[in-house]
């Protein structure tokens, strides 16, 4: 998958060099034209090729949420009105000095929006006149300096790949949260080893154990295949459309059919992930077997096969051996998926030793970007906490020397988490913890109110009652028979959020928009405060009550 | 100064140099006259003699570089890189020159 870069520079020099010498990446521009800038007829004199200041950088990041690395100049010869807001580093400096360090103020501002966005600063440490500036960067594990030499495309490419790898592997930044148990270490080793072969792979595990994330974050990345990652949820496709979706169609194949490539062709030179492979209809199983054997697919309605180079990974939570025995799954296809080398992702209850590490990673991830990060930034400002906004989960008691916000989970609460059955596995854990953390911070923000910042404002306990309340609705959701649709999201952080959005949307519809009734379903209580909390979370999830049918106010 | 002069030179591909890259190289080497700039910044300091020689040679190559003569382009690029390296090492060079030899 080709990473996308955003260049932030007041001039054009870096842009030209990067476009000429680093063509293995795509670049986030401020225009709507497709294709790379270096072939664009509008190129001469175009100013939309990159961002020139913080405002344009933020605009570009909104337009391109898939930016993976920011390449940021340090010196910006801009008028004061266009400079980024002052940071702790530049607060006492002259205008000229601020211009010399403008890149750092831009970095500080971008960090408030995204804790883990990789940023490469286009300068060397010895070129920074201010030692404090270089020192402060060492605290940012996702920022790096371009090195001692002048611009060297090969060195820069290595740096870009290094910050990319660091982010992809970091659980708090969306990387797969393996934990430290020996069985997960073995799973990681096996996944990375098998990923580098061309053989199909099978991933087995209960719902919510992170099979999809394992395939995208670990297997596809470790395969180093240049093509894209394409995922198909076979449980979400109507049976009659599966073959067309996978293998494509030709005009005239059926009424309304057009020439359209299927997912196999879309995943050429990359990875094709078939989730819920047990749901594949028998006739499509035959076509899949042919594709695996011949390395070719034929669009429906055509006779000429097309060669495809695809790493196939399939996942399921059903017993395929039993399905093959019953004739529901072809035995020859099952054999082709290499079941002897299948990866088994254990359920959370079999790796409870990982719970503290997973909990810590999920809480950090919850505040890494988006509306929840904005909540954290607001809390840190109102509480008078200095330094980059950060949050850590502490188990048992807070640390006296930690910086940023500490969310404290009492031992008794941790014990309750360990005793929970976790039918939704890791996905459920992330949902519960991220929600508990956000609610606790929101309550903390409300409590700050008009008060002067207190020294202990950096420590927020997560109430046991809150965690208990959050554990209950998911069990209710299972008992209510709600069906959740799992679709690929750009980041792992998106999965529990997607699940939670669906829950709130369904309840909103069932209760005709009555937040008090929703609170009764979710929390077991319907006080005005509980209704407000539910409405706050509804809004935080990006859902809007306006325009939807609601019940009349009581 | 050396950093900007050598920016494109450091990244020249070993194969064909396309017009866009040549234009970038020319901007780096000739938008700001290197020899004039060196003299303006550092006067006639003897430690800068090698750098001035390289800058003068780069200037002499300008017509051929702009015309796309490959040998001239490669030579000018090499000189620009050497100029950058030399200028970065200048403080050390001066210190060595000014330190009396130990007996």
């Amino acid at each position: 998958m080709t990473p996308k870069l955003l260049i932030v520079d007041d001039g054009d020099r870096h842009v030209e060099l990067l476009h000429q010498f680093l063509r293995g990446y795509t670049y986030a521009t401020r225009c709507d034209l497709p294709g790379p800038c270096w072939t664009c007829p509008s190129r001469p004199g175009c100013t939309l090729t990159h961002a020139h200041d913080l405002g344009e950088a933020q605009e570009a990041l909104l337009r391109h949420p898939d930016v993976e690395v920011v390449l940021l100049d340090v010196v910006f010869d801009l008028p004061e009105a266009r400079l980024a807001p002052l940071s702790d580093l530049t607060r006492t400096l002259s205008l000229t000095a601020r211009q010399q360090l403008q890149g750092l103020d831009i970095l500080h501002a971008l960090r408030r929006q995204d804790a883990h966005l990789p940023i490469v600063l286009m300068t060397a440490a010895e070129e920074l006149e201010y030692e404090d500036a270089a020192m402060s960067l060492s605290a940012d594990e996702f920022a790096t300096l371009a090195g001692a030499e002048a611009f060297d495309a090969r060195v820069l490419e290595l740096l870009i790949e290094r910050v990319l790898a660091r982010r992809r592997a970091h659980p708090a930044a969306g990387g797969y949260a393996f934990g430290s148990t020996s069985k997960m270490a073995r799973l990681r080793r096996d996944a990375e080893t098998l990923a580098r072969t061309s053989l199909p792979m099978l991933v087995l595990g209960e719902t919510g154990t992170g099979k999809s994330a394992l395939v995208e974050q670990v297997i596809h990345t470790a395969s180093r295949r240049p093509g894209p990652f394409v995922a198909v949820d076979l449980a979400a496709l109507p049976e009659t459309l599966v073959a067309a979706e996978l293998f494509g169609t030709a005009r005239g194949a059926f009424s309304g059919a057009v020439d359209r490539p299927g997912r196999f062709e879309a995943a050429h030179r990359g990875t094709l992930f078939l989730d819920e492979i047990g749901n594949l209809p028998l006739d499509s199983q035959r076509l899949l077997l042919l594709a695996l054997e011949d390395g070719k697919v034929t669009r429906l309605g055509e006779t000429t096969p097309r060669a495809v180079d695809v790493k196939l990974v399939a996942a399921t939570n059903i017993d395929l051996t039993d399905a093959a025995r019953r004739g529901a799954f072809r035995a020859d296809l099952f054999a082709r998926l290499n079941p002897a080398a299948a990866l088994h992702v254990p359920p959370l209850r079999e790796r409870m030793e990982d719970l503290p590490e997973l909990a810590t990673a999920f809480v950090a991830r919850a505040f890494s970007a988006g509306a929840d990060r904005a909540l954290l930034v607001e809390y840190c400002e109102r509480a008078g906490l200095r330094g980059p906004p950060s949050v850590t989960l502490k188990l048992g008691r807070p640390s006296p020397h930690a910086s940023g916000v500490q969310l404290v989970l009492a031992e008794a609460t941790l014990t309750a988490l360990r005793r929970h059955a976790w039918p939704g596995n890791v996905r459920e854990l992330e949902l519960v913890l991220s929600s508990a953390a956000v609610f606790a911070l929101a309550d903390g923000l409300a409590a700050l109110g008009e008060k002067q910042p207190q020294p202990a404002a950096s420590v927020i306990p997560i109430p046991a009652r809150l965690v208990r309340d959050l554990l209950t609705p998911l069990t209710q959701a299972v008992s209510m028979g709600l069906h959740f649709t799992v679709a690929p999201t750009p980041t792992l952080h998106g999965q529990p959020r997607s699940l939670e959005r669906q829950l709130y949307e369904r309840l909103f519809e069932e209760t005709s928009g009555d937040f008090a009734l929703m609170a009764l379903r979710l929390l077991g209580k319907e006080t005005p405060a509980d209704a407000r909390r539910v409405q706050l979370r509804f809004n935080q999830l990006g859902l809007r009550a306006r325009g939807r049918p609601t019940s009349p106010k009581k | 100064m050396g950093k900007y002069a050598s920016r494109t030179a450091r990244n020249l591909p070993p194969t064909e140099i396309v017009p866009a890259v040549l234009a970038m190289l020319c901007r780096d080497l000739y938008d700001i006259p290197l020899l004039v700039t060196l003299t303006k910044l550092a006067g006639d300091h003897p430690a800068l003699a090698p750098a001035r020689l390289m800058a003068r040679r780069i200037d002499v190559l300008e017509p051929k570089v702009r015309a796309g003569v490959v040998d001239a382009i490669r030579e000018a690029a090499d000189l620009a890189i050497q100029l950058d390296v030399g200028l970065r090492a200048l403080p050390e060079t001066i210190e060595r020159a000014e330190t009396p030899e130990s007996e």
Side-chain angles (χ1 to χ4, degrees):
Chain A
M1 192 169 61
T2 307
K4 181 176 284 187
L5 311 181
L6 171 65
I7 303 168
V8 187
D9 186 354
D10 61 334
D12 296 335
R13 219 175 255 275
H14 284 131
V15 176
E16 283 191 348
L17 287 162
L18 288 158
H19 285 182
Q20 283 297 337
F21 300 122
L22 284 183
R23 293 198 173 187
Y25 303 99
T26 57
Y27 292 89
T29 64
R30 292 163 45 239
C31 75
D32 294 318
L33 296 176
C37 291
W38 49 87
T39 60
C40 177
S42 305
R43 176 65 194 273
C46 176
T47 59
L48 302 177
T49 52
H50 62 290
H52 297 84
D53 57 29
L54 174 63
E56 290 182 5
Q58 289 169 326
E59 175 204 326
L61 287 170
L62 276 175
R63 188 194 287 266
H64 300 272
D66 54 339
V67 164
E68 291 197 64
V69 181
V70 174
L71 299 176
L72 177 58
D73 198 5
V74 175
V75 180
F76 283 72
D77 188 15
L78 294 173
E80 189 167 8
R82 286 179 62 191
L83 293 179
L86 292 163
S87 66
D88 287 344
L89 204 60
T90 58
R91 207 171 297 282
T92 57
L93 299 182
S94 66
L95 175 62
T96 305
R98 284 181 61 198
Q99 288 168 332
Q100 293 290 311
L101 290 179
Q102 173 63 180
L104 297 180
D105 277 347
I106 293 176
L107 186 155
H108 179 81
L110 293 180
R111 272 287 168 266
R112 286 159 60 90
Q113 293 171 225
D114 190 326
H116 306 114
L117 180 65
I119 297 177
V120 176
L121 288 119
M122 311 289 282
T123 189
E126 50 266 37
E127 290 178 336
L128 283 173
E129 290 185 26
Y130 300 87
E131 285 184 18
D132 289 348
M135 292 294 290
S136 75
L137 286 168
S138 66
D140 189 330
E141 67 181 303
F142 295 99
T144 191
L145 296 168
E149 295 294 326
F151 184 95
D152 185 314
R154 291 156 299 178
V155 170
L156 190 58
E157 192 171 355
L158 284 173
L159 288 171
I160 291 169
E161 292 302 318
R162 192 170 83 198
V163 288
L164 273 174
R166 202 180 303 150
R167 170 165 172 153
R168 285 173 182 163
H170 201 294
Y176 192 80
F178 273 101
S180 309
T181 55
S182 58
K183 66 172 69 173
M184 293 305 288
R186 198 163 48 246
L187 175 66
R188 174 183 222 147
R189 192 182 58 237
D190 292 345
E192 290 174 346
T193 302
L194 292 170
R196 289 193 277 275
T197 71
S198 59
L199 298 171
M201 290 174 65
L202 188 57
V203 180
L204 305 172
E206 293 178 6
T207 302
T209 49
K211 298 187 295 298
S212 306
L214 180 72
V215 176
E216 182 175 10
Q217 301 285 338
V218 181
I219 295 173
H220 176 62
T221 302
S223 74
R224 297 177 186 271
R225 294 179 67 86
F229 173 79
V230 175
V232 184
D233 180 2
L234 291 169
L237 286 176
E239 266 194 34
T240 49
L241 294 180
V242 169
E245 190 67 20
L246 290 181
F247 306 108
T249 57
R251 187 191 302 274
F254 47 82
S255 174
V258 297
D259 285 330
R260 193 170 68 87
R263 300 296 188 101
F264 261 93
E265 290 179 67
H268 181 59
R269 302 187 71 206
T271 304
L272 177 64
F273 174 44
L274 299 183
D275 199 4
E276 307 287 359
I277 190 75
N279 286 61
L280 191 65
L282 277 169
D283 56 345
S284 293
Q285 290 182 29
R286 181 181 61 82
L287 294 175
L288 176 60
L289 181 61
L290 286 173
L292 291 177
E293 286 176 346
D294 300 339
K296 295 176 184 172
V297 296
T298 307
R299 295 186 189 181
L300 302 187
E302 276 188 353
T303 53
T304 310
R306 297 163 190 258
V308 286
D309 173 18
V310 155
K311 168 81 172 175
L312 182 82
V313 184
T316 184
N317 59 0
I318 70 168
D319 185 345
L320 279 184
T321 308
D322 178 63
R325 194 167 39 240
R326 288 185 285 109
F329 200 87
R330 291 182 65 119
D332 47 2
L333 176 60
F334 181 47
R336 209 67 173 73
L337 295 175
N338 298 307
L343 297 176
H344 294 263
V345 187
L348 182 58
R349 62 183 177 277
E350 291 181 13
R351 45 180 291 227
M352 292 305 284
E353 318 91 282
D354 283 335
L355 194 141
E357 188 175 333
L358 294 176
T360 305
F362 292 151
V363 167
R365 191 186 295 179
F367 294 100
S368 61
D372 295 336
R373 182 151 186 86
L375 189 70
L376 173 66
V377 169
E378 186 181 352
Y379 183 90
C380 290
E381 285 174 354
R382 294 259 291 272
L385 300 177
R386 297 177 69 81
S390 67
V391 63
T392 48
L393 179 69
K394 293 297 179 187
L395 305 175
R397 62 186 64 187
S399 166
H401 306 296
S403 60
V405 175
Q406 297 182 67
L407 290 169
V408 183
L409 203 60
E411 278 296 341
T413 311
L414 193 56
T415 303
L417 290 174
R418 288 197 177 102
R419 286 188 185 142
H420 187 61
W422 300 108
N425 287 292
V426 171
R427 185 184 296 144
E428 183 186 350
L429 175 66
E430 181 166 11
L431 182 60
V432 167
L433 283 169
S434 60
S435 297
V438 170
F439 280 138
L441 189 71
D443 286 346
L445 186 63
L448 275 181
E450 302 299 319
K451 294 181 199 167
Q452 291 298 314
Q454 303 292 315
S458 63
V459 177
I460 303 175
I462 299 179
R465 164 191 54 79
L466 178 59
V467 174
R468 193 175 55 243
D469 291 346
L470 285 166
L471 284 175
T472 310
L474 285 163
T475 310
Q476 283 184 347
V478 171
S479 66
M480 275 189 255
L482 290 176
H483 174 72
F484 293 101
T485 300
V486 178
T489 51
T491 67
L492 184 62
H493 179 74
Q495 283 294 336
R497 183 175 289 275
S498 168
L499 190 70
E500 195 181 2
R501 278 179 64 100
Q502 290 176 62
L503 174 64
Y504 274 69
E505 277 190 308
R506 305 281 167 82
L507 286 175
F508 187 90
E509 285 166 15
E510 282 187 17
T511 61
S512 299
D514 189 328
F515 287 111
L517 211 52
M518 285 175 68
L520 185 63
R521 299 281 284 273
L522 289 169
L523 301 168
K525 301 172 287 179
E526 56 174 326
T527 66
D530 293 314
R532 272 197 301 278
R533 281 174 63 194
V534 170
Q535 187 172 11
L536 171 65
R537 188 56 184 161
F538 186 86
N539 293 337
Q540 283 176 345
L541 290 168
L543 301 168
R544 291 288 175 263
R546 277 194 218 104
R548 296 170 184 246
T550 60
S551 60
K553 289 185 180 174
K554 292 180 184 174
Chain B
M1 177 184 160
K3 172 180 165 180
Y4 290 110
S6 67
R7 192 169 295 204
T8 304
R10 287 178 179 276
N11 294 283
L12 282 187
T15 52
E16 183 195 357
I17 298 170
V18 299
V21 172
L22 179 58
M24 286 163 59
L25 181 67
C26 290
R27 273 199 297 276
D28 286 350
L29 297 180
Y30 303 119
D31 266 10
I32 300 172
L34 294 174
L35 183 58
V36 168
T37 308
L38 260 180
T39 308
K40 194 184 290 186
L41 289 174
D44 285 330
H45 197 295
L48 277 168
R52 282 197 292 273
L53 272 176
M54 284 189 273
R56 187 174 297 123
R57 179 65 188 148
I58 291 173
D59 286 345
V60 163
L61 287 168
E62 182 175 357
K64 286 187 177 177
V65 170
R66 289 192 183 277
V69 175
V70 174
D71 289 346
I73 291 170
R74 297 283 177 197
E75 185 182 351
D78 287 345
L79 286 167
I81 295 170
Q82 287 175 24
L83 179 66
D84 179 36
V85 171
L87 289 175
R88 286 177 190 274
L90 205 55
E92 210 178 294
T93 307
I94 293 174
E95 190 182 343
R96 263 203 309 271
E98 291 175 350
T99 302
E101 286 184 20
S102 54
E103 292 180 5

